Amino acid sequence: MERTFAIVKPDATAAGFTGRILARIEQEGFKIVAIKKIFMSKKQAEGFYAVHSARPFFNDLTSFMSSGPCVVMVLEKDGAIKEWRNLMGATNPAEAAEGTLRKEFGKNIDNNATHGSDAPETAATEIAYFFSALELVG
């Protein structure tokens, strides 16, 4: 079994989509190993997205991610990283396939409802950023 990190972003949380997104996660066969609702500070968002610190969108991204509550979680499933990315859909909801979370719940490339790790190393780093080993109850 593989684990990945996922976020229901502030836009989807504010719009009341969290429950529907969680239901889809479980319908698709993911096991939620850890979950919590948080309100990231700007500094926490900057730390989480530090890999993008030199990019022009960094300030807007970290401001958005610290603009309201989000739900962070660890998901488990065979091929979890690829499967979660497939369920999320393309980064830009306008380009996302029908039936994906970003197509259904995202507004635009900046407000695209969900985040997911892109590789095993990234997943391990992102999970450890928000969860201690004691919180992983799979």
Side-chain angles (χ1 to χ4, degrees):
M1 289 297 233
E2 184 176 60
R3 288 182 175 173
T4 193
F5 178 75
I7 301 177
V8 178
K9 292 182 176 181
D11 58 316
T13 303
F17 296 145
T18 303
R20 291 167 60 191
I21 292 171
L22 293 176
R24 285 286 305 282
I25 288 168
E26 290 187 326
Q27 287 168 5
E28 296 294 328
F30 289 94
K31 179 178 182 182
I32 299 172
V33 175
I35 186 169
K36 57 186 165 184
K37 187 173 187 178
I38 63 168
F39 198 140
M40 267 189 264
S41 68
K42 175 81 164 161
K43 184 175 176 128
Q44 288 168 324
E46 288 171 347
F48 181 71
Y49 286 106
V51 67
H52 298 302
S53 62
R55 300 236 172 126
F57 60 81
F58 180 72
N59 186 57
D60 288 342
L61 173 63
T62 56
S63 292
F64 164 64
M65 290 302 293
S66 60
S67 68
C70 61
V71 176
V72 294
M73 62 196 121
V74 179
L75 306 177
E76 188 175 79
K77 181 179 184 177
D78 284 334
I81 294 169
K82 181 181 178 188
E83 292 294 318
W84 174 239
R85 294 189 69 77
N86 288 341
L87 180 58
M88 284 193 305
T91 303
N92 185 346
E95 298 170 3
E98 289 299 326
T100 62
L101 297 174
R102 288 178 170 158
K103 185 68 164 186
E104 185 173 350
F105 302 112
K107 295 177 188 169
N108 55 49
I109 198 163
D110 297 317
N111 297 281
N112 60 8
T114 57
H115 164 87
S117 303
D118 60 2
E121 302 78 25
T122 310
T125 300
E126 292 179 342
I127 289 167
Y129 193 82
F130 290 103
F131 294 97
S132 72
L134 292 173
E135 294 174 297
L136 304 176
V137 292

